[in-house]
Amino acid sequence: MKKQILTLLLLFTALEFYSQHKGNYNDADFQISRQNILSSGNATIYNPVVQQRINNPLNPSNILFIDVKALQNVKATTYTAIFNVSQIGSTADSTNMMMNTRINKIKNKLNTIGILNKDVVIDVISFVPNYEVEVQKKLFSKTYTEVPKGFELQQNIHIQFTKTDQFEDILTACAESEVYNLVKVDYFIENIAQVYKNIQTELLKLIEDKRAYYKALGFDLSNYNISMADDKYCYFPKDFYQSYQAFNSISFEAFQKKRGVLTAKKQTSYYYQPLTYENYDIVINPSILEPVTQIGMNIKIQLTPKPKEEVKTVTKTETTHKYYVVSPNGTIDVKELKTN
């Protein structure tokens, strides 16, 4: 029995170590198998997408395409965190007073980390009375009447900051005033037009390189008609948070209590998964440590051969004129007048 328990412990320990090295992230399209061993001296490719792309057949055509894509990772210049806070009280004045006390405490704490009062804005959401049913007993009946028993005040606190390391202090300041409901964090870029201009400049350089490439292959692009389409987009970190659930581990409590096997459920977690770079020709600021705003632009140019001009055969018709002179006396003496 001891040997069986020891074997099970070693098995569960091995499973736990495997799950830790593997990580909690689980993608059904990316599973590394132990069967990826050397075969005939070459490692087999386990990713079917890569395998399909490598073996993708090429179809030659006289229609040329210049398809370029660029992506730039941009760090936000300012951030805005929004917290929701709710306060109840017996009267309207007491409710408002308690809310102001909590908010002023947050502001004072934020001032110590460089976030001034002008960077904090209060957005009032609702201020409504709460009703309860009161039973009024009369001689022959009972009356159920709704009467106000208190008030509820809801506000959103908008806090603007410029450094990501300030966010932890903001959470602490809010928690000290019993404000825990973080609604969202918005990212802002000061001059997004300049970012698009920078991406466009890099794409134009790449397009010129592509045109030189086709020219080196013997294509005279002056004999082609050009049509194009472009697109641009901007994605913020909130668009790329994905969820996963941690590996369900087997509880060792079953061995201590000599009961059936129990499973410990793990909570759902989230992680930041930005756009990957395999589909881009240009990536500006590729190495990122913190969540960033991703701005991209695509340009697609199609070059179609100009139709050849048809040589038309023109038939020229020459008309020869003849002139005659008739004598004035009426005799039928017609003579041809030679004009040559």
Side-chain angles (χ1 to χ4, degrees):
M1 184 62 183
K2 291 182 178 179
K3 291 182 178 180
Q4 293 178 351
I5 294 176
L6 179 60
T7 303
L8 289 174
L9 284 173
L10 292 174
L11 176 61
F12 294 144
T13 304
L15 288 173
E16 182 67 19
F17 285 163
Y18 170 71
S19 67
Q20 294 298 328
H21 287 291
K22 176 171 176 278
N24 291 322
Y25 168 67
N26 184 17
D27 188 350
D29 296 329
F30 187 78
Q31 291 289 339
I32 299 179
S33 172
R34 293 182 181 271
Q35 297 177 359
N36 297 322
I37 59 176
L38 294 179
S39 175
S40 301
N42 295 317
T44 59
I45 299 177
Y46 56 83
N47 192 327
V49 177
V50 175
Q51 184 72 39
Q52 182 180 3
R53 182 169 296 179
I54 293 176
N55 298 324
N56 187 28
L58 300 178
N59 300 316
S61 173
N62 62 344
I63 300 177
L64 306 179
F65 292 95
I66 299 178
D67 192 358
V68 291
K69 299 179 180 179
L71 182 73
Q72 181 169 343
N73 296 319
V74 183
K75 185 179 178 181
T77 53
T78 59
Y79 310 85
T80 298
I82 301 177
F83 293 84
N84 178 266
V85 55
S86 179
Q87 179 65 55
I88 60 174
S90 57
T91 64
D93 291 338
S94 62
T95 304
N96 190 38
M97 185 179 300
M98 287 186 288
M99 174 67 80
N100 290 335
T101 301
R102 297 170 67 185
I103 292 178
N104 290 334
K105 184 178 179 181
I106 294 175
K107 289 182 178 180
N108 294 334
K109 182 68 176 180
L110 295 178
N111 288 336
T112 61
I113 61 172
I115 299 178
L116 306 179
N117 291 342
K118 67 180 182 63
D119 299 321
V120 180
V121 174
I122 306 301
D123 181 19
V124 179
I125 304 301
S126 64
F127 191 26
V128 295
N130 291 327
Y131 293 92
E132 291 185 0
V133 177
E134 185 179 81
V135 181
Q136 296 179 352
K137 295 182 179 180
K138 297 184 178 180
L139 182 60
F140 297 104
S141 65
K142 292 182 180 180
T143 303
Y144 299 89
T145 306
E146 286 188 342
V147 294
K149 292 294 184 179
F151 292 84
E152 181 182 9
L153 174 61
Q154 267 200 63
Q155 294 181 352
N156 284 344
I157 308 175
H158 297 234
I159 304 173
Q160 187 179 76
F161 57 102
T162 57
K163 300 177 182 178
T164 54
D165 55 4
Q166 294 176 311
F167 188 59
E168 185 176 352
D169 295 327
I170 294 173
L171 291 175
T172 302
C174 292
E176 290 179 355
S177 295
E178 300 178 353
V179 177
Y180 312 106
N181 188 2
L182 173 63
V183 180
K184 64 176 181 175
V185 178
D186 290 327
Y187 291 64
F188 298 95
I189 300 174
E190 185 174 354
N191 191 357
I192 193 172
Q194 184 62 37
V195 177
Y196 280 120
K197 186 176 181 180
N198 182 44
I199 297 175
Q200 184 179 356
T201 301
E202 296 298 326
L203 284 178
L204 290 177
K205 293 179 183 178
L206 182 58
I207 290 174
E208 289 300 320
D209 292 341
K210 297 274 188 180
R211 292 173 65 92
Y213 169 71
Y214 283 129
K215 186 177 180 180
L217 293 176
F219 292 93
D220 185 2
L221 299 185
S222 62
N223 297 327
Y224 285 78
N225 291 324
I226 300 177
S227 57
M228 64 87 67
D230 61 352
D231 184 29
K232 62 182 180 180
Y233 46 86
C234 178
Y235 292 114
F236 294 93
K238 62 182 179 61
D239 301 317
F240 292 111
Y241 274 93
Q242 298 184 12
S243 63
Y244 72 93
Q245 195 167 20
F247 185 78
N248 284 343
S249 60
I250 298 176
S251 174
F252 288 95
E253 185 181 356
F255 298 102
Q256 298 176 358
K257 297 186 178 180
K258 297 182 180 181
R259 295 180 181 177
V261 176
L262 302 176
T263 58
K265 293 185 178 180
K266 303 294 181 66
Q267 66 179 5
T268 300
S269 301
Y270 297 86
Y271 64 97
Y272 174 62
Q273 180 62 52
L275 290 173
T276 55
Y277 304 152
E278 64 267 16
N279 295 323
Y280 289 93
D281 303 285
I282 300 173
V283 179
I284 304 172
N285 302 331
S287 180
I288 57 176
L289 180 61
E290 62 183 80
V292 294
T293 302
Q294 294 189 296
I295 301 175
M297 181 178 292
N298 306 335
I299 297 178
K300 186 170 185 178
I301 300 176
Q302 178 176 318
L303 299 103
T304 308
K306 294 180 180 179
K308 295 182 179 180
E309 296 182 0
E310 297 182 1
V311 179
K312 296 182 180 180
T313 303
V314 179
T315 303
K316 186 177 181 180
T317 304
E318 293 184 359
T319 304
T320 303
H321 299 278
K322 292 183 179 182
Y323 302 91
Y324 298 89
V325 177
V326 181
S327 64
N329 57 6
T331 60
I332 307 174
D333 184 9
V334 180
K335 295 182 179 180
E336 182 179 355
L337 179 63
K338 301 295 183 180
T339 57
N340 295 335

